[in-house]
Amino acid sequence: MSVEAPVTLVSPEKGYANDDEIEKKMGSDSGEAGPEKIGQEQEVLGVLDLDPALNKKMHIVNNTLDEIGWTPYHWKLFFLNGFGYSVDALQLSLQGIIAGQAVFEFSPSYVRGLTIAVYVGMFVGALFWGFSADIIGRKTSFNVSLFICAIFTIVAGASPNWESLGFFIATSAFGAGGNLVLDTTVFLEYLPSNKQWLVTWLASWFGVGCTVAGLVAWGFMPNYSCSDPNVAPFTPCTKANNSGWRYLMYTMGTMIFLMSMARITVIRLRETPKFLLGQGKDAELVHNFQEIAEKYNRPCSITLEQLEACGTISSAHSRSKFSVGEFWIHIRNLFITKKIAFSTLLIWLSWAMIGLAYPLFNVFLPSYLASRGVEFGVTSTYETWRNYALVQVCGIFGPMLAGHMANWAPLGRRYTMIIGAVLTMAFFFAYSQVTSQAQNIAYSYVISFTLEIYYGTLYGYTVEVLPSAHRGTGNGIAVAFCRFMGAMSAVIATVANTETAGPIFICGALYGGMALCAFLSPFEPYGKRAS
């Protein structure tokens, strides 16, 4: 491959890049500070000097990502990782959409069973795929997870009873459960520093997934659903007159399958450079960078000699990849200093709180909208599902605004989260006092928008401040806390009754707690490069 002659990225004395030489070599003469100036930024965790060899190599890798810049490869990653976000949203939305009709058909003893099933599956999936991403790699997990989800989503549509439906929902959720871990990690670890804020934009796909589920449900549910068999005149609810939810599962399962195939055929995903760095596979890392640079006609100055001159990384893995020690090192290093430990705990607490707040609003939104609709004289299932779909559309644009806010110096990531959480809290409290159907819908739209400002930024912030070698583990445990509290939301919803304003007050208070966590967070990734 024909590339420019290598520049000296590492000096024997300092081990760090000579940034002036890099900029001169690459023709950068703007004189402006900021993400566009290659090599000038400090890594988020680099100042902690936990592993000198890792810090030096990470600096070189980040310089190379900045040198190559944004390419069509990144566009493909944005869409293919976005599919994972959509599927995560689909799984959460689907069980909320089909639960009511499935209850009419199967008459189970515990009507919140599907909520428990989907969150248990996602809980196990987050932990499994999170640890797998750090131990066996991002690539394998990325390619397999959606396929598992697709197959069992389709099978769930053919369930003959409540127990089998719950099992297949949980299994499909297991496949989907790692997407919030894998998608942000894979995307971030390929991004140049001036595009890291785009991880926040990935959360827009969450709204896309909810919207698709809502729109398809809007088409199937009003036309192929039985009425409540407990309301006179009595009509038995059977598979023959209640196939709408099954059609929905078949359709969504097929769509997920096509997405899983796209991940294999549209892009030949290379293992992420920062995973290879932690594994000590420097030669493969350099080869992958050179392939991308050659394909897209970009400069690439990194050499194997530069990486080897930095020394050997000692903090990323144990001697045996599949051992208790390997699991322990990934957890232990999330608490290796007081500052990192405090950051890790605040992230996990934030995810636990949003894991309770989000489903209380979003998963149980159909029943709340329906109850408020009845209260204000709206009884049409057509209008209920139309309103649900439109609420989800509003959620698409929250992360888009959040991405630009998080990339603006006066706000950064932390204050964007604070603003999103405080606004959401205020509108939740106001929502509990609505007095008309117009207000009911309007507040639903606004909340869907503002909560995604916070949620989208939290996704990006989490992976930016976690150490690269343990990013999958830390992110997986965070998402697992979210899923565990999601399962608890089903218990709370059973006691509190989602057709009252009780869960709305709980959600508002939780978002206030999230704003406090963001304020206390010790790291601000804006202007720095992910480690």
Side-chain angles (χ1 to χ4, degrees), residues 153-182:
T153 300
I154 294 172
V155 173
S159 299
N161 53 52
W162 183 255
E163 291 75 18
S164 62
L165 176 59
F167 173 78
F168 292 132
I169 287 287
T171 310
S172 63
F174 166 78
N179 280 293
L180 295 188
V181 180
L182 297 168

Side-chain angles (χ1 to χ4, degrees), residues 126-438:
L127 293 176
F128 177 83
W129 298 113
F131 278 107
S132 296
D134 283 341
I135 296 173
I136 66 174
R138 289 40 162 155
K139 178 181 176 180
T140 301
S141 302
F142 180 82
N143 288 335
V144 171
S145 58
L146 279 192
F147 179 77
I148 295 173
C149 179
I151 296 303
F152 286 99
T153 300
I154 294 172
V155 173
S159 299
N161 53 52
W162 183 255
E163 291 75 18
S164 62
L165 176 59
F167 173 78
F168 292 132
I169 287 287
T171 310
S172 63
F174 166 78
N179 280 293
L180 295 188
V181 180
L182 297 168
D183 296 330
T184 51
T185 298
V186 170
F187 194 47
L188 176 72
E189 294 187 354
Y190 267 111
L191 285 177
S193 61
N194 68 332
K195 300 295 185 183
Q196 284 179 193
W197 60 273
L198 282 173
V199 179
T200 298
W201 264 43
L202 273 181
S204 294
W205 287 94
F206 207 82
V208 172
C210 290
T211 300
V212 170
L215 290 173
V216 177
W218 185 15
F220 284 132
M221 300 300 283
N223 300 314
Y224 302 98
S225 297
C226 64
S227 57
D228 189 341
N230 300 313
V231 177
F234 174 78
T235 303
C237 192
T238 65
K239 183 177 180 179
N241 66 359
N242 192 43
S243 296
W245 69 268
R246 296 179 186 274
Y247 295 154
L248 179 62
M249 297 299 285
Y250 297 147
T251 304
M252 294 296 96
T254 302
M255 190 180 75
I256 296 169
F257 177 76
L258 294 176
M259 289 179 180
S260 70
M261 291 299 99
R263 283 190 166 188
I264 300 172
T265 58
V266 173
I267 191 171
R268 186 172 68 85
L269 182 70
R270 300 167 176 85
E271 189 55 82
T272 69
K274 294 182 179 180
F275 175 79
L276 294 174
L277 188 68
Q279 293 282 326
K281 298 180 179 179
D282 294 348
E284 184 178 348
L285 184 157
V286 172
H287 175 72
N288 287 352
F289 269 140
Q290 290 174 344
E291 273 195 343
I292 294 173
E294 182 177 32
K295 182 174 181 179
Y296 299 108
N297 194 28
R298 300 299 173 86
C300 180
S301 306
I302 192 171
T303 67
L304 180 59
E305 291 73 23
Q306 292 163 358
L307 293 175
E308 290 178 341
C310 298
T312 302
I313 295 172
S314 60
S315 63
H317 297 279
S318 67
R319 293 181 180 178
S320 176
K321 182 178 289 189
F322 300 101
S323 65
V324 175
E326 177 72 8
F327 282 93
W328 174 242
I329 199 170
H330 288 302
I331 296 174
R332 183 191 65 193
N333 283 359
L334 297 171
F335 299 88
I336 198 166
T337 69
K338 290 182 180 179
K339 191 173 183 179
I340 290 179
F342 186 54
S343 174
T344 298
L345 290 174
L346 286 176
I347 288 172
W348 289 354
L349 179 59
S350 298
W351 277 92
M353 287 191 290
I354 203 166
L356 182 58
Y358 192 83
L360 279 178
F361 174 71
N362 220 37
V363 176
F364 300 116
L365 182 62
S367 63
Y368 191 75
L369 283 173
S371 67
R372 281 302 179 95
V374 171
E375 182 179 333
F376 300 125
V378 179
T379 58
S380 166
T381 56
Y382 176 88
E383 289 190 43
T384 296
W385 290 111
R386 180 204 63 189
N387 293 340
Y388 178 79
L390 293 176
V391 166
Q392 306 312 320
V393 170
C394 294
I396 296 174
F397 302 101
M400 293 182 176
L401 175 61
H404 292 291
M405 291 171 63
N407 201 42
W408 186 39
L411 296 179
R413 277 55 158 172
R414 291 171 57 243
Y415 282 99
T416 299
M417 287 192 289
I418 292 171
I419 291 171
V422 169
L423 285 175
T424 304
M425 176 182 67
F427 282 110
F428 264 127
F429 286 134
Y431 189 24
S432 65
Q433 306 301 313
V434 298
T435 58
S436 69
Q437 177 65 358

Side-chain angles (χ1 to χ4, degrees), residues 4-147:
E4 296 183 37
V7 296
T8 304
L9 291 180
V10 182
S11 67
E13 296 78 20
K14 296 182 180 180
Y16 282 91
N18 185 329
D19 297 328
D20 292 335
E21 281 191 47
I22 294 172
E23 291 205 355
K24 183 178 180 181
K25 184 71 180 179
M26 295 185 61
S28 175
D29 57 0
S30 65
E32 296 178 3
E36 285 75 13
K37 291 197 72 177
I38 294 171
Q40 291 291 334
E41 298 81 20
Q42 184 180 72
E43 279 66 39
V44 175
L45 302 181
V47 294
L48 300 179
D49 203 28
L50 304 175
D51 185 335
L54 176 61
N55 285 348
K56 296 170 189 176
K57 290 186 177 185
M58 188 64 67
H59 196 76
I60 295 172
V61 167
N62 279 335
N63 284 344
T64 306
L65 289 170
D66 285 346
E67 185 180 18
I68 293 174
W70 180 267
T71 70
Y73 186 75
H74 295 92
W75 275 116
K76 293 178 183 178
L77 284 176
F78 178 75
F79 281 91
L80 295 175
N81 283 285
F83 289 168
Y85 265 74
S86 295
V87 170
D88 184 280
L90 278 174
Q91 291 301 313
L92 292 176
S93 297
L94 284 177
Q95 67 82 24
I97 291 170
I98 73 170
Q101 294 305 129
V103 166
F104 293 160
E105 184 173 331
F106 296 128
S107 300
S109 58
Y110 186 62
V111 297
R112 303 291 185 192
L114 293 189
T115 303
I116 299 290
V118 73
Y119 278 109
V120 168
M122 286 191 162
F123 172 82
V124 177
L127 293 176
F128 177 83
W129 298 113
F131 278 107
S132 296
D134 283 341
I135 296 173
I136 66 174
R138 289 40 162 155
K139 178 181 176 180
T140 301
S141 302
F142 180 82
N143 288 335
V144 171
S145 58
L146 279 192
F147 179 77

